[in-house]
Amino acid sequence: MIGFWVKRGAVLAAIGLLGACASVVGSTDSTVQIRTNPDKARCELKGMGGFEATIETPAAISIPNRASPVAVMCQAPGFRQTAHTLTASADGWIWGNSAFMVATGGIAVLGALVDESRGAGKAYAEEVDYTLTPDRPRPVKLRTRDAPGR
């Protein structure tokens, strides 16, 4: 009888550990190649959990998946400052967790919670391209007013 409970406990522990497969197999960071038109723009990245970085484009940067969403502010001489947002989306491992939870009747929910807290099972796009808008002087229309009596 004790052997039955030991086996059952071992099976449940294995199910719980396998449920966190994105943490085991996947990564908690994503490498993102950021390009701008024009090159050599200075971009500041700020995300959740205190993530901050500054790069000069083009550049590859490792971003923690749990920092999503990440605000990206790029500027270059002669161009307007441009704002973008990087968002990590679910990758294939998180769908594996979902299927495993359904198959086990929800026992693997602990694994999914672990993956979510670590940012595993999510990823950013591998490459992003941002086009900055030229900062052209705006034409100013001048009106003259003649003083009364002239």
Side-chain angles (χ1 to χ4, degrees):
M1 186 73 167
I2 293 176
F4 170 78
W5 289 108
V6 171
K7 287 179 185 177
R8 188 172 199 148
V11 168
L12 289 176
I15 288 172
L17 290 175
L18 286 174
C21 64
S23 290
V24 174
V25 179
S27 176
T28 57
D29 293 347
S30 297
T31 299
V32 180
Q33 177 72 36
I34 300 177
R35 294 186 186 93
T36 58
N37 182 11
D39 285 342
K40 303 222 181 269
R42 181 175 184 262
C43 296
E44 293 180 3
L45 293 82
K46 293 183 181 183
M48 300 295 290
F51 172 77
E52 291 187 21
T54 302
I55 61 166
E56 183 176 292
T57 62
I61 183 168
S62 180
I63 304 173
N65 297 337
R66 67 175 179 249
S68 182
V70 176
V72 182
M73 299 290 287
C74 297
Q75 57 187 14
F79 291 83
R80 294 183 184 161
Q81 185 174 21
T82 307
H84 301 279
T85 303
L86 279 173
T87 305
S89 56
D91 66 8
W93 292 111
I94 203 72
W95 301 117
N97 272 351
S98 300
F100 202 61
M101 280 192 296
V102 170
T104 62
I107 294 172
V109 72
L110 178 62
L113 292 173
V114 168
D115 288 346
E116 182 65 28
S117 70
R118 297 189 67 226
K122 292 183 177 182
Y124 296 97
E126 291 180 8
E127 297 180 5
V128 291
D129 294 296
Y130 301 131
T131 300
L132 280 65
T133 305
D135 192 15
R136 296 188 180 118
R138 297 181 186 149
V140 178
K141 293 182 181 182
L142 298 175
R143 292 184 182 174
T144 59
R145 294 188 182 183
D146 290 333
R150 283 192 184 186

Short mmCIF file of all heavy atoms in Angstrom, two decimals, residues 51-103:
data_model
loop_
_atom_site.label_atom_id
_atom_site.label_comp_id
_atom_site.label_asym_id
_atom_site.label_seq_id
_atom_site.Cartn_x
_atom_site.Cartn_y
_atom_site.Cartn_z
N PHE A 51 13.85 47.25 -15.89
CA PHE A 51 14.74 47.06 -17.05
C PHE A 51 14.96 48.38 -17.76
O PHE A 51 14.02 49.08 -18.11
CB PHE A 51 14.15 46.04 -18.03
CG PHE A 51 14.92 45.95 -19.30
CD1 PHE A 51 16.13 45.28 -19.36
CD2 PHE A 51 14.46 46.58 -20.46
CE1 PHE A 51 16.86 45.22 -20.54
CE2 PHE A 51 15.18 46.52 -21.65
CZ PHE A 51 16.38 45.84 -21.68
N GLU A 52 16.23 48.74 -17.98
CA GLU A 52 16.61 49.94 -18.73
C GLU A 52 17.87 49.65 -19.52
O GLU A 52 18.76 48.96 -19.03
CB GLU A 52 16.86 51.12 -17.79
CG GLU A 52 15.62 51.64 -17.11
CD GLU A 52 15.87 52.92 -16.32
OE1 GLU A 52 16.87 53.62 -16.61
OE2 GLU A 52 15.07 53.22 -15.44
N ALA A 53 17.94 50.17 -20.74
CA ALA A 53 19.13 50.01 -21.57
C ALA A 53 19.16 51.14 -22.60
O ALA A 53 18.12 51.69 -22.96
CB ALA A 53 19.13 48.67 -22.27
N THR A 54 20.36 51.48 -23.04
CA THR A 54 20.55 52.46 -24.10
C THR A 54 21.45 51.83 -25.16
O THR A 54 22.47 51.24 -24.82
CB THR A 54 21.20 53.75 -23.55
OG1 THR A 54 20.37 54.27 -22.51
CG2 THR A 54 21.36 54.79 -24.64
N ILE A 55 21.04 51.94 -26.42
CA ILE A 55 21.82 51.36 -27.52
C ILE A 55 21.97 52.36 -28.64
O ILE A 55 21.24 53.36 -28.70
CB ILE A 55 21.13 50.07 -28.07
CG1 ILE A 55 19.74 50.41 -28.62
CG2 ILE A 55 21.09 48.98 -27.03
CD1 ILE A 55 19.13 49.33 -29.47
N GLU A 56 22.91 52.11 -29.53
CA GLU A 56 23.03 52.84 -30.79
C GLU A 56 22.78 51.83 -31.90
O GLU A 56 23.40 50.77 -31.93
CB GLU A 56 24.42 53.45 -30.94
CG GLU A 56 24.55 54.29 -32.21
CD GLU A 56 25.89 54.98 -32.33
OE1 GLU A 56 26.16 55.88 -31.52
OE2 GLU A 56 26.66 54.59 -33.24
N THR A 57 21.86 52.15 -32.79
CA THR A 57 21.46 51.20 -33.82
C THR A 57 22.44 51.16 -34.97
O THR A 57 23.11 52.17 -35.23
CB THR A 57 20.06 51.55 -34.35
OG1 THR A 57 20.09 52.83 -34.95
CG2 THR A 57 19.03 51.50 -33.25
N PRO A 58 22.51 50.04 -35.66
CA PRO A 58 21.83 48.77 -35.38
C PRO A 58 22.52 48.06 -34.21
O PRO A 58 23.73 48.18 -34.03
CB PRO A 58 21.99 47.99 -36.68
CG PRO A 58 23.25 48.52 -37.30
CD PRO A 58 23.32 49.96 -36.89
N ALA A 59 21.74 47.33 -33.44
CA ALA A 59 22.29 46.63 -32.28
C ALA A 59 21.42 45.44 -31.93
O ALA A 59 20.21 45.46 -32.15
CB ALA A 59 22.38 47.57 -31.09
N ALA A 60 22.05 44.41 -31.38
CA ALA A 60 21.33 43.27 -30.83
C ALA A 60 21.39 43.40 -29.32
O ALA A 60 22.44 43.70 -28.75
CB ALA A 60 21.96 41.96 -31.27
N ILE A 61 20.25 43.22 -28.66
CA ILE A 61 20.18 43.37 -27.21
C ILE A 61 19.37 42.23 -26.61
O ILE A 61 18.37 41.80 -27.19
CB ILE A 61 19.60 44.75 -26.82
CG1 ILE A 61 19.61 44.92 -25.30
CG2 ILE A 61 18.22 44.95 -27.40
CD1 ILE A 61 19.33 46.34 -24.85
N SER A 62 19.80 41.76 -25.46
CA SER A 62 19.08 40.72 -24.74
C SER A 62 18.11 41.40 -23.76
O SER A 62 18.54 42.21 -22.93
CB SER A 62 20.06 39.82 -23.98
OG SER A 62 19.36 38.82 -23.28
N ILE A 63 16.84 41.07 -23.90
CA ILE A 63 15.80 41.71 -23.08
C ILE A 63 15.07 40.62 -22.29
O ILE A 63 14.62 39.63 -22.87
CB ILE A 63 14.78 42.45 -23.96
CG1 ILE A 63 15.49 43.47 -24.85
CG2 ILE A 63 13.72 43.13 -23.10
CD1 ILE A 63 14.59 44.14 -25.87
N PRO A 64 14.94 40.79 -20.97
CA PRO A 64 14.17 39.81 -20.18
C PRO A 64 12.72 39.78 -20.65
O PRO A 64 12.10 40.83 -20.82
CB PRO A 64 14.27 40.31 -18.75
CG PRO A 64 15.33 41.36 -18.74
CD PRO A 64 15.46 41.86 -20.13
N ASN A 65 12.18 38.59 -20.86
CA ASN A 65 10.79 38.47 -21.33
C ASN A 65 9.80 39.06 -20.33
O ASN A 65 8.76 39.58 -20.72
CB ASN A 65 10.45 37.01 -21.61
CG ASN A 65 11.30 36.43 -22.72
OD1 ASN A 65 11.82 37.16 -23.55
ND2 ASN A 65 11.46 35.13 -22.72
N ARG A 66 10.13 39.01 -19.05
CA ARG A 66 9.20 39.54 -18.04
C ARG A 66 9.19 41.07 -18.01
O ARG A 66 8.41 41.67 -17.29
CB ARG A 66 9.52 38.96 -16.67
CG ARG A 66 10.83 39.39 -16.10
CD ARG A 66 11.01 38.87 -14.69
NE ARG A 66 12.29 39.27 -14.17
CZ ARG A 66 13.30 38.45 -13.94
NH1 ARG A 66 13.16 37.17 -14.16
NH2 ARG A 66 14.44 38.90 -13.48
N ALA A 67 10.08 41.74 -18.77
CA ALA A 67 10.12 43.21 -18.82
C ALA A 67 9.02 43.77 -19.72
O ALA A 67 8.82 44.97 -19.78
CB ALA A 67 11.48 43.69 -19.31
N SER A 68 8.31 42.90 -20.43
CA SER A 68 7.28 43.32 -21.38
C SER A 68 6.12 44.02 -20.67
O SER A 68 5.71 43.58 -19.60
CB SER A 68 6.76 42.10 -22.13
OG SER A 68 5.79 42.47 -23.08
N PRO A 69 5.61 45.09 -21.23
CA PRO A 69 5.99 45.78 -22.47
C PRO A 69 7.20 46.69 -22.25
O PRO A 69 7.37 47.25 -21.16
CB PRO A 69 4.75 46.58 -22.82
CG PRO A 69 4.11 46.88 -21.51
CD PRO A 69 4.41 45.68 -20.63
N VAL A 70 8.00 46.85 -23.29
CA VAL A 70 9.20 47.69 -23.23
C VAL A 70 8.99 48.90 -24.13
O VAL A 70 8.71 48.76 -25.32
CB VAL A 70 10.45 46.89 -23.68
CG1 VAL A 70 11.67 47.80 -23.71
CG2 VAL A 70 10.69 45.69 -22.78
N ALA A 71 9.11 50.10 -23.53
CA ALA A 71 9.00 51.34 -24.30
C ALA A 71 10.35 51.61 -24.95
O ALA A 71 11.39 51.53 -24.30
CB ALA A 71 8.62 52.49 -23.38
N VAL A 72 10.33 51.92 -26.25
CA VAL A 72 11.54 52.20 -27.01
C VAL A 72 11.43 53.62 -27.57
O VAL A 72 10.53 53.91 -28.34
CB VAL A 72 11.73 51.19 -28.17
CG1 VAL A 72 13.02 51.47 -28.91
CG2 VAL A 72 11.69 49.76 -27.66
N MET A 73 12.36 54.50 -27.15
CA MET A 73 12.39 55.88 -27.62
C MET A 73 13.67 56.07 -28.41
O MET A 73 14.77 55.92 -27.87
CB MET A 73 12.38 56.85 -26.44
CG MET A 73 11.15 56.74 -25.55
SD MET A 73 9.66 57.32 -26.34
CE MET A 73 9.91 59.06 -26.32
N CYS A 74 13.55 56.38 -29.72
CA CYS A 74 14.73 56.53 -30.59
C CYS A 74 14.81 57.96 -31.10
O CYS A 74 13.78 58.57 -31.44
CB CYS A 74 14.65 55.57 -31.77
SG CYS A 74 14.68 53.83 -31.31
N GLN A 75 16.04 58.46 -31.21
CA GLN A 75 16.25 59.79 -31.78
C GLN A 75 17.60 59.83 -32.48
O GLN A 75 18.52 59.10 -32.13
CB GLN A 75 16.17 60.87 -30.71
CG GLN A 75 17.14 60.70 -29.56
CD GLN A 75 16.87 61.72 -28.46
OE1 GLN A 75 15.83 62.37 -28.44
NE2 GLN A 75 17.80 61.84 -27.55
N ALA A 76 17.66 60.67 -33.50
CA ALA A 76 18.88 60.88 -34.28
C ALA A 76 18.90 62.34 -34.71
O ALA A 76 17.84 62.96 -34.87
CB ALA A 76 18.90 59.96 -35.50
N PRO A 77 20.09 62.92 -34.90
CA PRO A 77 20.17 64.32 -35.33
C PRO A 77 19.42 64.53 -36.65
O PRO A 77 19.57 63.77 -37.59
CB PRO A 77 21.68 64.54 -35.53
CG PRO A 77 22.35 63.50 -34.68
CD PRO A 77 21.42 62.32 -34.70
N GLY A 78 18.58 65.56 -36.66
CA GLY A 78 17.81 65.88 -37.85
C GLY A 78 16.52 65.09 -37.99
O GLY A 78 15.82 65.20 -38.99
N PHE A 79 16.18 64.29 -36.97
CA PHE A 79 14.96 63.47 -37.00
C PHE A 79 14.18 63.66 -35.70
O PHE A 79 14.76 63.94 -34.65
CB PHE A 79 15.31 61.99 -37.19
CG PHE A 79 15.87 61.68 -38.54
CD1 PHE A 79 17.21 61.89 -38.81
CD2 PHE A 79 15.04 61.20 -39.55
CE1 PHE A 79 17.74 61.63 -40.06
CE2 PHE A 79 15.56 60.94 -40.81
CZ PHE A 79 16.91 61.15 -41.07
N ARG A 80 12.88 63.49 -35.80
CA ARG A 80 12.03 63.60 -34.62
C ARG A 80 12.18 62.37 -33.73
O ARG A 80 12.44 61.27 -34.21
CB ARG A 80 10.56 63.71 -35.04
CG ARG A 80 10.26 64.98 -35.77
CD ARG A 80 8.80 65.07 -36.09
NE ARG A 80 8.55 66.27 -36.89
CZ ARG A 80 7.49 66.46 -37.61
NH1 ARG A 80 6.54 65.55 -37.64
NH2 ARG A 80 7.34 67.55 -38.30
N GLN A 81 12.01 62.57 -32.44
CA GLN A 81 12.04 61.45 -31.50
C GLN A 81 10.85 60.54 -31.80
O GLN A 81 9.74 61.01 -32.06
CB GLN A 81 11.96 61.95 -30.06
CG GLN A 81 12.12 60.85 -29.05
CD GLN A 81 12.20 61.39 -27.62
OE1 GLN A 81 11.77 62.50 -27.34
NE2 GLN A 81 12.71 60.58 -26.74
N THR A 82 11.09 59.24 -31.81
CA THR A 82 10.07 58.27 -32.17
C THR A 82 9.86 57.30 -31.03
O THR A 82 10.83 56.82 -30.43
CB THR A 82 10.49 57.50 -33.44
OG1 THR A 82 10.82 58.44 -34.46
CG2 THR A 82 9.39 56.60 -33.93
N ALA A 83 8.60 56.99 -30.72
CA ALA A 83 8.28 56.07 -29.63
C ALA A 83 7.64 54.80 -30.20
O ALA A 83 6.80 54.86 -31.10
CB ALA A 83 7.32 56.73 -28.65
N HIS A 84 8.07 53.66 -29.66
CA HIS A 84 7.54 52.36 -30.04
C HIS A 84 7.40 51.50 -28.79
O HIS A 84 7.95 51.83 -27.74
CB HIS A 84 8.46 51.66 -31.04
CG HIS A 84 8.67 52.43 -32.30
ND1 HIS A 84 7.77 52.42 -33.33
CD2 HIS A 84 9.68 53.25 -32.70
CE1 HIS A 84 8.21 53.20 -34.30
NE2 HIS A 84 9.37 53.71 -33.93
N THR A 85 6.71 50.38 -28.92
CA THR A 85 6.56 49.44 -27.81
C THR A 85 6.88 48.04 -28.28
O THR A 85 6.38 47.58 -29.31
CB THR A 85 5.11 49.47 -27.25
OG1 THR A 85 4.80 50.80 -26.86
CG2 THR A 85 4.98 48.55 -26.06
N LEU A 86 7.75 47.36 -27.53
CA LEU A 86 8.06 45.95 -27.77
C LEU A 86 7.25 45.12 -26.78
O LEU A 86 7.27 45.39 -25.58
CB LEU A 86 9.55 45.67 -27.51
CG LEU A 86 10.54 46.01 -28.59
CD1 LEU A 86 11.95 45.81 -28.07
CD2 LEU A 86 10.30 45.14 -29.80
N THR A 87 6.54 44.14 -27.28
CA THR A 87 5.73 43.28 -26.42
C THR A 87 6.10 41.82 -26.66
O THR A 87 6.18 41.38 -27.81
CB THR A 87 4.23 43.48 -26.72
OG1 THR A 87 3.92 44.87 -26.60
CG2 THR A 87 3.37 42.70 -25.76
N ALA A 88 6.34 41.11 -25.59
CA ALA A 88 6.63 39.67 -25.70
C ALA A 88 5.30 38.93 -25.83
O ALA A 88 4.35 39.21 -25.10
CB ALA A 88 7.38 39.18 -24.46
N SER A 89 5.25 38.01 -26.78
CA SER A 89 4.02 37.23 -26.96
C SER A 89 4.31 35.75 -26.70
O SER A 89 5.47 35.33 -26.67
CB SER A 89 3.47 37.43 -28.38
OG SER A 89 4.45 37.10 -29.33
N ALA A 90 3.27 35.00 -26.50
CA ALA A 90 3.40 33.58 -26.16
C ALA A 90 4.09 32.81 -27.27
O ALA A 90 3.80 33.01 -28.44
CB ALA A 90 2.03 32.98 -25.88
N ASP A 91 5.03 31.95 -26.88
CA ASP A 91 5.66 31.07 -27.87
C ASP A 91 5.08 29.66 -27.71
O ASP A 91 4.16 29.44 -26.94
CB ASP A 91 7.19 31.09 -27.76
CG ASP A 91 7.72 30.51 -26.47
OD1 ASP A 91 6.93 29.93 -25.69
OD2 ASP A 91 8.93 30.62 -26.22
N GLY A 92 5.60 28.71 -28.44
CA GLY A 92 5.05 27.36 -28.45
C GLY A 92 5.06 26.65 -27.11
O GLY A 92 4.18 25.84 -26.83
N TRP A 93 6.03 26.97 -26.25
CA TRP A 93 6.11 26.26 -24.97
C TRP A 93 4.92 26.57 -24.08
O TRP A 93 4.46 25.71 -23.33
CB TRP A 93 7.42 26.60 -24.26
CG TRP A 93 8.59 26.05 -24.98
CD1 TRP A 93 9.54 26.75 -25.64
CD2 TRP A 93 8.91 24.67 -25.17
NE1 TRP A 93 10.45 25.91 -26.23
CE2 TRP A 93 10.09 24.62 -25.95
CE3 TRP A 93 8.33 23.48 -24.76
CZ2 TRP A 93 10.68 23.43 -26.32
CZ3 TRP A 93 8.93 22.29 -25.13
CH2 TRP A 93 10.09 22.27 -25.90
N ILE A 94 4.42 27.77 -24.12
CA ILE A 94 3.29 28.12 -23.25
C ILE A 94 2.04 27.36 -23.68
O ILE A 94 1.22 26.97 -22.86
CB ILE A 94 3.06 29.65 -23.20
CG1 ILE A 94 2.31 30.05 -21.93
CG2 ILE A 94 2.33 30.15 -24.40
CD1 ILE A 94 3.13 29.96 -20.69
N TRP A 95 1.91 27.09 -24.99
CA TRP A 95 0.76 26.32 -25.47
C TRP A 95 0.90 24.86 -25.02
O TRP A 95 -0.08 24.19 -24.75
CB TRP A 95 0.62 26.43 -26.98
CG TRP A 95 0.44 27.85 -27.41
CD1 TRP A 95 1.28 28.59 -28.19
CD2 TRP A 95 -0.60 28.75 -27.02
NE1 TRP A 95 0.81 29.87 -28.32
CE2 TRP A 95 -0.34 30.00 -27.62
CE3 TRP A 95 -1.73 28.62 -26.22
CZ2 TRP A 95 -1.16 31.10 -27.44
CZ3 TRP A 95 -2.56 29.72 -26.05
CH2 TRP A 95 -2.27 30.94 -26.66
N GLY A 96 2.14 24.40 -24.93
CA GLY A 96 2.38 23.05 -24.40
C GLY A 96 1.93 22.97 -22.95
O GLY A 96 1.34 21.97 -22.52
N ASN A 97 2.19 24.01 -22.18
CA ASN A 97 1.71 24.05 -20.79
C ASN A 97 0.19 23.96 -20.74
O ASN A 97 -0.37 23.25 -19.91
CB ASN A 97 2.15 25.35 -20.11
CG ASN A 97 3.51 25.25 -19.47
OD1 ASN A 97 4.08 24.18 -19.37
ND2 ASN A 97 4.02 26.37 -19.04
N SER A 98 -0.46 24.72 -21.61
CA SER A 98 -1.92 24.73 -21.62
C SER A 98 -2.47 23.34 -21.92
O SER A 98 -3.38 22.86 -21.24
CB SER A 98 -2.44 25.73 -22.64
OG SER A 98 -1.98 27.02 -22.34
N ALA A 99 -1.91 22.69 -22.91
CA ALA A 99 -2.36 21.35 -23.27
C ALA A 99 -2.10 20.38 -22.12
O ALA A 99 -2.92 19.51 -21.82
CB ALA A 99 -1.66 20.87 -24.54
N PHE A 100 -0.96 20.53 -21.47
CA PHE A 100 -0.62 19.63 -20.36
C PHE A 100 -1.56 19.84 -19.18
O PHE A 100 -1.94 18.89 -18.50
CB PHE A 100 0.84 19.88 -19.96
CG PHE A 100 1.45 18.72 -19.23
CD1 PHE A 100 1.56 17.48 -19.84
CD2 PHE A 100 1.92 18.87 -17.93
CE1 PHE A 100 2.13 16.41 -19.17
CE2 PHE A 100 2.49 17.81 -17.27
CZ PHE A 100 2.59 16.58 -17.89
N MET A 101 -1.98 21.09 -18.94
CA MET A 101 -2.93 21.34 -17.85
C MET A 101 -4.27 20.69 -18.15
O MET A 101 -4.89 20.10 -17.27
CB MET A 101 -3.11 22.85 -17.64
CG MET A 101 -1.99 23.46 -16.84
SD MET A 101 -2.34 25.13 -16.29
CE MET A 101 -2.48 26.01 -17.81
N VAL A 102 -4.71 20.78 -19.40
CA VAL A 102 -5.98 20.15 -19.78
C VAL A 102 -5.87 18.63 -19.63
O VAL A 102 -6.76 17.98 -19.08
CB VAL A 102 -6.37 20.53 -21.22
CG1 VAL A 102 -7.53 19.70 -21.71
CG2 VAL A 102 -6.69 22.02 -21.30
N ALA A 103 -4.75 18.07 -20.09
CA ALA A 103 -4.58 16.62 -20.04
C ALA A 103 -4.50 16.09 -18.62
O ALA A 103 -4.91 14.96 -18.34
CB ALA A 103 -3.31 16.22 -20.81
#
